[in-house]
Amino acid sequence: MEILTRVLVLCVLGSTQGFLQSKQILLEGNGYTGVTVAISSQLSPSEIQIQKIKDLFTAASAQLYKSTKNHLYFKDITIVIPKSWPNNIAEAFVSGAQVDTAHVIVDKPNPLVDNKPYVSGMTGCGQPGKHIHLEPFTVQILAGLADKILLHHWGHFRWGLFDEHGDKESPVQTSNTNPWFYSSQGTFKPNICTKDIQGVNQKGYCQSGQQCALDDDGLPEKDCKFCVNERSNTAKGSLMGKPDISSVVEFCDHADSEVPHNSEAETPQNKVCRGRSAWEIMRLHPDFKDTTPGSATQNTVPTFRVVQQRIGQNVVLVLDKSGSMNSYDETLTTNPQRQTRIDKLKTISSNYIRNWSPNATSIAVVTFNGTASVAAPLTPVTSDTDRQYLVTLVDSIIASGATSIGAGIQKAIEILKNASSDNIRGNEIILVSDGANTVRPGPDDVLETVLREGVIIQSVAIGKEADQKIDKMAKDSGGFSFFYSGNEQSTTLADIFLGIAASSSDDEDKIYQIESKSLNITKGRNYSSVLTIDDTIGRDTTIVVLGSGKDFASATLSSPRNGRRITEQCSDSCRLKIDGLAETGDYVLEISTTQDTDTILTVTAQSYPRSPSAEVFTATAWTHTESFEFSPSTPVVLYSSVQKGVSPVLDADVTMVVEDSEGHFINVALLDDGQGMDITKGDGQYTGVILPTQLKSSGRHSLKLLVTGKEGETKILVPATGRRKRDTTSGGAPSTLVTQNVGGFKRVTSGGTFTVQNYRVVTGDALSPARITTLRLQNSEGERFNVSWNAVGDDINVGKATAYKVLLSKNFSALLNSPEAVSPLTGNIPTPAGPGELEVFSLRVTETGVSYFLAVQAVDEAGNVGEVSNIVPLSVLSDHVTWKRAENKEVTSSQAFSYVGLIVSACAAILFIFVFILCGICLCKRNTEYQRKSEKFIDFPKKLPERMISTKRDMKIDYRMANPYMYPPNYWGYHGQDRRFHGYNNDSYLYYIS
């Protein structure tokens, strides 16, 4: 199961500032087009070879076509290389954020997942992930296997499939006590699809040779795993299980298929997808619903295009100056300081230019009403003088006339093309409009041009009358749509422009928003607020106060320790800037006004990382769709990922502020507790819901994410030890993860917009309790079983449920598909506690060697019944040969010390000494043999066999072996499993020979 917010990821939003969506992947016939692979700037050309990426995707394309029964392959792929690489590699250049919007990111390995590939941002069955993370080892070393590994992760990323094995692919385990085994037919069977895969149970890791045993709870020990025979298996299995098995080349299907799904196993796929197989989920995806199988002779070799990211970005502000922009928003009060829409737009655009747009950005301004004109030419903003020149031109905009959105887009593209010698792909247009298109061309008329030229449109709708078509144009172009209701208390407009600026900045110089709030200040009363500068940011920190009128307020900023104060008088806006590196800690911002009436202000703060290598706190926000059909029984689900670098942030305060088209606000708490809609506890991915009763209107709703880290409470997840050595097989034991306290911090980001269709007032209670996903077997003792789960609420996770239905059946299918036909158990059923609290239930079954299946449903006071929980198999243990109690776990008072025990112990000691001596002799012989072999190439890796066609520099991969003791230093030899020559130098670096 892919968890890191790592990520960050769904094809909805980007990984750093929370709202860039991945570029669209399209289907032409049976071929995927538009797939983007981005190489991180953290990698150098010597660490990753572009040809290896091409080889991997070529092999994966052929395998994809076979595994999907001739439905799909990779038709064209764009590989984006960093701007820091030599400029003679790429065929063309692209602008803007590329890593954030790529589908596959090749980056440094992540030790939280044992340096293996993963998918970030998994949110639910059938829901896409954010992106696939590959590291150089998989790309360059695992030839003959990496294509199936990539396909495994494509199943996560594209079709929303989950793992069908017990290995850890995420930084936290599933809710099962041991993810590798489940109770069935009197024994414990491996959690894998299918049931016929052969292997052995091993404790610790697959080369340990230690037999697994049962712990005190009568369950397999936590460090016990099922080690598959990767090369000798003949049984077919699922690629979502163990793709490294040679016989596994397909996805599992229904019980009567050639690759039958093991629906009884306690795998993430069964837990999240309610027992359905991979193909059952895949058939529901448009990739399969909208295609028919192609020819068996189809050429599946992709066309590759290598492009390089440009330094800097060209941005055109396309601003609506039609007559409707002279109006005031209906939600505003009669405040004499209030601004018209055009005045607000000029203020916010000026601040984008003056304070938020990154250096090395070139900005132009286009205005449109019935026609379009250039208000400001494309100008590099490298100094305050450049920025002020553009601001002066923006201030002169006057609104009047009709609306032709398409004319504004056409003029912006014309400016961009005149400034570029090759192409304008990746350049950005920020489109702002408050009304419907009244004069052609409109959004539909220019969409084809936008897509052909590859420009990215970020659309900002002001008010509920804004044309809905600009949202679609933004999404289709790879941008995002935003919405501002006009509410005077809202900070949304500032958050949108600041977030767009952050998305345009380079990865090495990203801007982070650390404050956003609306203030209502009164004459004679000072306002005071605390601004936290954490130890990951603090370079060139800027606080901006937005208001209206001449000298409307005075603002002072005081530092934490040295008492330094910065004071500014505010006319329309003011800026307090901390040059260089700010002190870490809590700054105090004080604001006062001399205005006779209440003054409403917006305060924002932003900062840059303390150093280019800093692992910064980041926050992302998203929903899994842009449009919801209103239903009294269906909530809107919200997601957020909070990380420091690649480490999940735990126990942070995470709130989503939802603003509708009428100016109403909803505050939604997001939790990382593994309850209800949240898949896994403690993974840094937070989930919350908007109940149907909380919604007030149809139309657009904007999202704003607030994340606060608390000193002494908030933690990050990190490896217990340093970076692990990369394991070429599944045999290595997973790394141990621990938590580490972090200091206080705050992040703010815009989460984009979603739309509610056909809202109506809710009458009665139609909302059921959440599905319980945490049911697990706690312990097993003979015929007695204790199971536990975490309570859910009356309405999803709000309030207390009224009762539980505990269901037990020998028929798995009946329990899954017809729970109403299964009679609930009675007696000792717990009364529901508050959401998240632990519930425990004890039961007894008498038949030995028979599989039972247990599930739970929560019921509310209106009789609404939640969905069937994840299903837990139960079986009285009869296999006492394979599964014994761990040593020293069954000592009783009757097992007293005796002479017989002493004799047995003495014999065992003698046998141990004999074996020890024998092993010593064997080891000496083995070392002698290794020395003899290594002497043949005594200067390895300086003197290489002729069959080694790669150079030493090309072969050296900076990963350590998981089990270096298996081979002596300077040893090389034939690796039977991988069918390659390899070697190890004195530092145990791994060398593979092509």
Side-chain angles (χ1 to χ4, degrees):
M1 182 167 47
E2 312 301 338
I3 301 297
L4 260 178
T5 26
R6 297 175 282 225
V7 158
L8 280 153
V9 293
L10 38 149
C11 299
V12 185
L13 304 178
S15 62
T16 302
Q17 290 298 317
F19 59 80
L20 277 183
Q21 66 183 37
S22 298
K23 298 178 174 68
Q24 277 205 315
I25 296 175
L26 302 175
L27 273 173
E28 291 184 6
N30 298 99
Y32 285 122
T33 66
V35 177
T36 302
V37 181
I39 300 174
S40 166
S41 60
Q42 298 297 311
L43 295 176
S44 66
S46 64
E47 292 177 287
I48 184 69
Q49 299 175 32
I50 293 176
Q51 185 58 47
K52 292 290 186 179
I53 297 176
K54 294 180 178 180
D55 293 345
L56 169 58
F57 275 88
T58 299
S61 181
Q63 185 62 61
L64 174 64
Y65 198 62
K66 294 176 184 177
S67 300
T68 58
K69 304 174 183 178
N70 296 355
H71 270 89
L72 303 164
Y73 66 95
F74 295 120
K75 187 170 185 177
D76 72 64
I77 295 172
T78 298
I79 301 174
V80 183
I81 64 175
K83 60 181 179 293
S84 58
W85 283 26
N87 58 14
N88 60 349
I89 302 176
E91 307 162 27
F93 293 90
V94 292
S95 299
Q98 297 296 322
V99 172
D100 288 350
T101 60
H103 308 109
V104 181
I105 298 174
V106 185
D107 201 350
K108 294 282 188 182
N110 184 348
L112 290 170
V113 289
D114 297 330
N115 301 330
K116 295 179 181 179
Y118 61 87
V119 171
S120 67
M122 296 294 293
T123 59
C125 184
Q127 299 296 332
K130 210 187 298 182
H131 65 254
I132 301 173
H133 176 115
L134 292 178
E135 28 64 61
F137 187 91
T138 298
V139 175
Q140 300 194 153
I141 299 302
L142 298 182
L145 175 59
D147 54 340
K148 292 198 296 178
I149 292 176
L150 175 59
L151 187 50
H152 169 98
H153 289 89
W154 188 262
H156 293 310
F157 163 74
R158 182 67 178 177
W159 307 315
L161 306 179
F162 286 78
D163 290 329
E164 297 189 83
H165 61 74
D167 258 349
K168 184 180 71 174
E169 282 189 22
S170 63
V172 289
Q173 296 285 11
T174 65
S175 60
N176 300 329
T177 301
N178 187 300
W180 257 123
F181 299 96
Y182 68 100
S183 176
S184 176
Q185 297 178 324
T187 188
F188 288 97
K189 295 181 180 180
N191 281 320
I192 196 166
C193 188
T194 61
K195 298 179 181 179
D196 298 329
I197 297 296
Q198 300 298 308
V200 294
N201 305 333
Q202 296 276 285
K203 181 180 178 180
Y205 53 94
C206 287
Q207 291 90 359
S208 71
Q210 300 181 62
Q211 183 177 356
C212 287
L214 301 181
D215 60 18
D216 286 339
D217 293 325
L219 305 177
E221 297 172 298
K222 290 185 178 180
D223 59 350
C224 179
K225 69 180 297 183
F226 178 71
C227 302
V228 297
N229 297 326
E230 295 173 355
R231 302 301 170 187
S232 59
N233 260 292
T234 58
K236 294 182 178 180
S238 175
L239 282 166
M240 299 313 297
K242 298 292 290 180
D244 41 355
I245 301 174
S246 58
S247 59
V248 172
V249 293
E250 302 175 63
F251 295 95
C252 64
D253 206 344
H254 54 76
D256 297 328
S257 68
E258 291 185 0
V259 189
H261 176 61
N262 182 6
S263 58
E264 299 177 6
E266 291 188 275
T267 61
Q269 173 70 16
N270 284 334
K271 172 189 170 183
V272 181
C273 293
R274 295 163 172 79
R276 291 176 291 175
S277 69
W279 264 110
E280 288 178 87
I281 306 303
M282 292 159 64
R283 289 190 187 98
L284 299 175
H285 195 280
D287 286 358
F288 297 92
K289 289 198 299 184
D290 299 342
T291 60
T292 56
S295 167
T297 59
Q298 172 69 49
N299 177 17
T300 63
V301 177
T303 299
F304 293 96
R305 183 169 178 261
V306 180
V307 299
Q308 187 166 23
Q309 188 177 7
R310 280 192 183 96
I311 297 175
Q313 169 69 307
N314 293 332
V315 177
V316 181
L317 300 178
V318 179
L319 308 180
D320 188 342
K321 67 169 186 177
S322 62
S324 59
M325 291 293 290
N326 280 321
S327 64
Y328 295 97
D329 288 292
E330 295 177 3
T331 57
L332 296 180
T333 65
T334 57
N335 184 348
Q337 301 278 347
R338 65 178 179 163
Q339 294 178 300
T340 62
R341 287 177 175 174
I342 192 65
D343 287 336
K344 285 183 182 180
L345 182 55
K346 289 194 292 184
T347 296
I348 209 71
S349 299
S350 296
N351 274 280
Y352 168 80
I353 295 169
R354 182 186 291 118
N355 298 316
W356 301 330
S357 58
N359 287 324
T361 300
S362 294
I363 299 176
V365 181
V366 168
T367 57
F368 67 90
N369 43 28
T371 59
S373 59
V374 179
L378 193 65
T379 304
V381 287
T382 57
S383 68
D384 287 344
T385 302
D386 299 329
R387 296 174 188 269
Q388 187 56 46
Y389 164 70
L390 292 172
V391 167
T392 301
L393 295 176
V394 168
D395 288 343
S396 65
I397 296 173
I398 298 174
S400 65
T403 304
S404 178
I405 296 171
I409 296 296
Q410 286 178 337
K411 182 64 69 173
I413 291 176
E414 179 184 322
I415 291 174
L416 292 172
K417 293 187 74 172
N418 288 338
S420 177
S421 59
D422 51 0
N423 68 76
I424 61 173
R425 188 166 299 276
N427 283 299
E428 197 165 67
I429 293 173
I430 302 175
L431 169 65
V432 188
S433 180
D434 76 333
N437 198 86
T438 58
V439 177
R440 295 189 67 178
D444 289 343
D445 300 317
V446 298
L447 180 58
E448 183 180 346
T449 301
V450 168
L451 299 180
R452 182 180 65 251
E453 298 295 346
V455 293
I456 297 172
I457 293 181
Q458 312 286 2
S459 69
V460 182
I462 298 180
K464 58 186 177 183
E465 303 301 327
D467 201 312
Q468 296 282 344
K469 292 180 180 179
I470 67 175
D471 298 352
K472 182 180 185 301
M473 183 164 56
K475 177 186 175 183
D476 290 349
S477 73
F480 209 71
S481 58
F482 301 93
F483 170 69
Y484 169 56
S485 70
N487 189 302
E488 192 173 7
Q489 301 286 349
S490 173
T491 65
T492 298
L493 199 57
D495 299 332
I496 289 170
F497 273 79
L498 209 160
I500 291 173
S503 73
S504 301
S505 54
D506 296 331
D507 292 338
E508 300 84 356
D509 200 24
K510 186 75 70 178
I511 190 172
Y512 292 90
Q513 188 173 359
I514 57 178
E515 186 56 276
S516 171
K517 60 175 60 177
S518 177
L519 308 178
N520 191 339
I521 62 175
T522 304
K523 181 179 179 180
R525 296 180 61 185
N526 289 348
Y527 172 82
S528 180
S529 178
V530 173
L531 178 71
T532 300
I533 305 292
D534 62 80
D535 60 2
T536 72
I537 48 93
R539 180 167 55 86
D540 294 337
T541 303
T542 304
I543 297 91
V544 176
V545 182
L546 300 176
S548 62
K550 180 179 175 64
D551 296 333
F552 65 85
S554 175
T556 300
L557 185 69
S558 302
S559 62
R561 285 178 290 277
N562 65 20
R564 181 188 175 195
R565 295 167 64 88
I566 305 172
T567 301
E568 293 287 343
Q569 286 297 123
C570 303
S571 293
D572 290 332
S573 68
C574 59
R575 178 179 68 171
L576 299 92
K577 186 175 182 182
I578 307 171
D579 293 319
L581 287 180
E583 295 180 50
T584 59
D586 293 338
Y587 282 73
V588 176
L589 175 66
E590 296 177 286
I591 301 176
S592 61
T593 182
T594 58
Q595 301 288 334
D596 292 330
T597 59
D598 288 356
T599 302
I600 297 176
L601 310 178
T602 294
V603 176
T604 67
Q606 54 280 340
S607 187
Y608 291 90
R610 298 190 81 82
S611 69
S613 60
E615 292 190 333
V616 179
F617 291 106
T618 61
T620 64
W622 70 92
T623 63
H624 61 74
T625 182
E626 291 86 6
S627 181
F628 292 89
E629 183 68 26
F630 181 83
S631 168
S633 59
T634 306
V636 177
V637 187
L638 309 174
Y639 303 99
S640 170
S641 176
V642 186
Q643 298 174 256
K644 182 184 181 187
V646 296
S647 294
V649 175
L650 315 181
D651 300 324
D653 282 340
V654 181
T655 301
M656 196 86 80
V657 180
V658 184
E659 180 182 345
D660 73 5
S661 57
E662 305 291 339
H664 302 121
F665 293 92
I666 308 170
N667 290 333
V668 181
L670 275 60
L671 302 174
D672 179 20
D673 58 359
Q675 312 301 315
M677 302 297 180
D678 191 58
I679 293 179
T680 304
K681 179 180 180 179
D683 62 358
Q685 188 161 295
Y686 294 72
T687 309
V689 296
I690 307 173
L691 303 180
T693 52
Q694 293 178 291
L695 295 170
K696 302 297 182 184
S697 66
S698 292
R700 294 179 173 102
H701 291 63
S702 67
L703 299 175
K704 170 183 174 179
L705 182 69
L706 304 173
V707 178
T708 303
K710 299 164 290 184
E711 181 85 39
E713 297 182 38
T714 302
K715 300 175 284 292
I716 60 173
L717 204 60
V718 296
T721 57
R723 178 168 151 182
R724 286 172 47 80
K725 300 172 182 179
R726 178 66 159 96
D727 187 5
T728 58
T729 72
S730 61
S735 59
T736 301
L737 303 179
V738 296
T739 58
Q740 182 181 93
N741 287 334
V742 296
F745 70 92
K746 186 172 183 179
R747 293 292 182 270
V748 182
T749 185
S750 173
T753 301
F754 68 87
T755 302
V756 175
Q757 306 282 357
N758 302 316
Y759 167 78
R760 60 189 184 276
V761 177
V762 176
T763 58
D765 183 0
L767 199 60
S768 302
R771 175 177 180 250
I772 294 169
T773 58
T774 54
L775 183 64
R776 70 181 184 93
L777 177 60
Q778 270 200 328
N779 56 63
S780 168
E781 191 65 49
E783 299 176 348
R784 178 66 59 181
F785 298 89
N786 286 332
V787 296
S788 68
W789 65 90
N790 293 98
V792 293
D794 176 284
D795 295 331
I796 309 297
N797 272 0
V798 177
K800 285 186 181 181
T802 302
Y804 291 119
K805 294 175 67 176
V806 180
L807 309 176
L808 183 70
S809 176
K810 296 179 184 178
N811 188 327
F812 181 90
S813 179
L815 191 60
L816 180 66
N817 301 311
S818 306
E820 67 282 354
V822 179
S823 298
L825 299 180
T826 58
N828 300 320
I829 307 298
T831 300
E837 294 189 39
L838 187 69
E839 310 276 29
V840 179
F841 176 67
S842 180
L843 73 158
R844 181 172 176 265
V845 296
T846 57
E847 294 185 67
T848 302
V850 176
S851 293
Y852 288 85
F853 303 96
L854 186 81
V856 180
Q857 293 173 290
V859 185
D860 69 12
E861 81 286 348
N864 297 310
V865 182
E867 291 188 65
V868 174
S869 69
N870 61 298
I871 297 175
V872 172
L874 304 173
S875 183
V876 177
L877 183 67
S878 58
D879 181 8
H880 297 287
V881 175
T882 305
W883 296 102
K884 298 179 180 180
R885 288 280 186 173
E887 292 181 9
N888 301 323
K889 296 296 182 182
E890 290 187 323
V891 178
T892 66
S893 59
S894 61
Q895 292 175 302
F897 179 85
S898 67
Y899 286 112
V900 175
L902 181 61
I903 294 172
V904 171
S905 299
C907 291
I910 294 171
L911 180 60
F912 174 82
I913 293 171
F914 174 78
V915 172
F916 182 84
I917 295 172
L918 183 61
C919 289
I921 295 172
C922 293
L923 183 61
C924 289
K925 291 183 63 177
R926 183 178 182 186
N927 284 340
T928 301
E929 177 66 12
Y930 282 147
Q931 185 176 5
R932 182 187 63 79
K933 290 181 178 180
S934 64
E935 286 173 356
K936 185 175 181 179
F937 302 101
I938 193 166
D939 290 325
F940 179 84
K942 294 179 180 178
K943 294 182 179 179
L944 303 175
E946 292 181 359
R947 60 171 58 92
M948 299 182 182
I949 60 175
S950 299
T951 67
K952 172 189 173 183
R953 181 179 61 82
D954 290 335
M955 284 191 300
K956 184 172 181 178
I957 308 300
D958 189 13
Y959 296 94
R960 306 277 183 150
M961 281 296 292
N963 300 306
Y965 58 81
M966 294 177 61
Y967 306 96
N970 294 334
Y971 166 77
W972 77 275
Y974 186 77
H975 195 300
Q977 189 177 60
D978 291 325
R979 301 295 189 268
R980 289 169 173 264
F981 283 90
H982 62 219
Y984 307 88
N985 68 4
N986 283 315
D987 294 324
S988 294
Y989 282 102
L990 171 62
Y991 292 78
Y992 263 88
I993 293 82
S994 302

